[in-house]
Amino acid sequence: MWRRTTVVMAAWAVGLASIGLAVCRAQSTNTDDWPDAATQIKRLGRGVNIIGYDPLWRDRSRARFREEFFPMIRKAGFQHVRINLHPFRDNPDFNGEGAGIRPEYLETLDWAVDRALQAGLLVVLDFHEFTAIGKDPDRLKARYMACWEVIAEREKNRPSEVLFELLNEPNSAMTPELWNTWAREALAIVRRTNPKRTVIIGPGQWNNIAALDKLELPDDPNIIVTVHYYSPFDFTHQGAAWAGKADKVGIHWGSEQDREAVRKDFDRAQTWAEKHQRPIYLGEFGVYDKAPQEDRVAWLGFVTREAERRGWAWAYWQFDGDFILYDIANNRWVEPILKAIIPDATVPSP
C-alpha cells in the first residue's frame, strides 16, 4: 500500500511541475491554440476558493485579502484560485434593468484576475449567487443572464488561464431540470464573446454527485463538470450554527467504512465522467474548523488523494473564514490543514 501511494504521489508531483511551467509561459489569447477541457483539468490541479465573503467587493479599503497573498498561494503549491462572485449582493443599488454591476466592482474583479495571473495562478470565475437564485429564479433570471453578458464581455480577451463557472450549487427552486435550461442559455451568451473559453457546469441539488444523472449538457467540447463534496454532512459541518449544528460536535471520521463511502461516491462520479467523456472538477470540499483536528486532517488528506487518483482537479473551501486554511490575523497558514491537502506544501519559517 505504501509503495502504491508513493508511486501515485510521485507521478502527481511530476504533473504539478509541468503544470507550473505551462502556467508561467507566455499566455496566448489565440483561440486556435486553446487547450481542451482535459488539458485544462491538468493545468488547474490544486486550488483554493478565495474572497467570496471579503468586504473588498464593496470597499477596497476594507479588504481582508491582500495582494501579496496571490504569490504566497502559488508558492505554497496551489495552481489556481476559484474567485467567488456575488454580483447581486455586492451591487445592491439595482434599478431593475440590466446587470446592475458598478464600475468599481468590475475594477476589483480586474484587480483580482490580474494579480492571480501575474502570480502564475489559473482563475475560475464562479458565479456564487446560489442562495438568491435558489429562492427566486424567475425574478432573477434576466439579471443573471445580463451579468454573464457583462462579465463575458469584460473578460473576453483574457488568456485560457481564466475559466468561467456558470453557477455555484443550483438548489431548491432552481431544480435540476430548470438549471439545464438556464445553463444552455447562459452558455450561449458566453459563447458570443468567448467562443473557446473553458466553462464549468455542475449538476443541481447543490452540485451533488447524486444529481449528475440529471445533468444535460450542450454539445460543447470546452466544458468541465464540477461536483462538491461535504459528506458525511454531520461530520463536515459539525459546530456550524448556520447549518443547524451548533451543538453537534465531537463527531469522528476515519474508519474503513468511512473511507469506503468516499470511494463509492467518487467512483460514481468517475463512472459518469467516463461515460459522458467530461473531466471532473471538485470545486468545493472541506471540514468546518469545529471538527476534531485529527479527524479533519484525516478526511481532507483522504479526499484530496482520492480526487487526484482519479485525475480530478480540486479547490479547497476556503482560504479564510469558515473552514479556515489561512489565519490572516496572525499571518500564517493553518499548517496541519495545508499539509493535509498539499503534503509537500512550502510553508515559510516563522
Side-chain angles (χ1 to χ4, degrees), residues 72 324-335:
M72 182 191 73
I324 185 170
L325 176 63
Y326 189 82
D327 183 351
I328 291 179
N330 294 295
N331 293 311
R332 65 188 180 193
W333 292 102
V334 181
E335 193 164 344

Side-chain angles (χ1 to χ4, degrees), residues 5-203:
T5 302
T6 302
V7 170
V8 170
M9 289 305 298
W12 182 258
V14 170
L16 291 185
S18 64
I19 290 167
L21 290 173
V23 172
C24 291
R25 291 188 190 120
Q27 298 165 337
S28 171
T29 56
N30 185 346
T31 57
D32 292 337
D33 300 328
W34 212 267
D36 61 19
T39 300
Q40 290 287 63
I41 276 290
K42 295 176 183 177
R43 300 173 79 207
L44 283 170
R46 297 162 166 172
V48 61
N49 284 267
I50 65 168
I51 61 176
Y53 298 92
D54 197 301
L56 67 81
W57 293 105
R58 296 204 192 186
D59 184 352
R60 289 281 294 281
S61 69
R62 297 172 54 214
R64 294 196 304 264
F65 195 93
R66 302 194 298 270
E67 187 169 317
E68 61 265 30
F69 290 163
F70 288 107
M72 182 191 73
I73 288 170
R74 182 69 186 96
K75 185 176 181 181
F78 293 95
Q79 280 68 57
H80 77 276
V81 288
R82 182 175 181 251
I83 299 178
N84 313 127
L85 305 177
H86 292 88
F88 303 164
R89 181 201 67 193
D90 294 322
N91 295 279
D93 298 326
F94 180 57
N95 64 9
E97 298 180 3
I101 299 179
R102 296 173 294 114
E104 295 83 1
Y105 180 91
L106 293 172
E107 290 166 6
T108 298
L109 175 60
D110 289 343
W111 169 83
V113 175
D114 287 344
R115 297 302 179 270
L117 293 175
Q118 288 170 9
L121 293 160
L122 277 77
V123 176
V124 173
L125 294 180
D126 151 50
F127 202 100
H128 212 74
E129 292 283 8
F130 64 107
T131 301
I133 289 175
K135 290 178 179 178
D136 197 350
D138 291 342
R139 181 177 64 86
L140 293 171
K141 181 178 181 180
R143 189 178 184 189
Y144 167 80
M145 298 297 176
C147 283
W148 266 120
E149 189 169 3
V150 170
I151 294 169
E153 174 66 28
R154 185 85 174 192
E155 304 299 319
K156 66 181 181 181
N157 293 321
R158 294 291 190 180
S160 62
E161 284 78 9
V162 177
L163 299 82
F164 295 166
E165 183 173 341
L166 295 185
L167 180 63
N168 176 78
E169 297 187 347
N171 68 90
S172 304
M174 176 54 77
T175 64
E177 294 76 19
L178 181 59
W179 172 233
N180 286 335
T181 300
W182 274 45
R184 286 181 179 276
E185 293 182 35
L187 182 64
I189 289 171
V190 167
R191 287 289 177 248
R192 293 174 197 161
T193 51
N194 294 257
K196 295 295 181 74
R197 178 81 52 198
T198 306
V199 173
I200 298 173
I201 303 174

Side-chain angles (χ1 to χ4, degrees), residues 221-234:
N222 294 315
I223 292 175
I224 287 172
V225 171
T226 186
V227 294
H228 292 179
Y229 198 72
Y230 293 101
S231 184
F233 196 78
D234 283 345

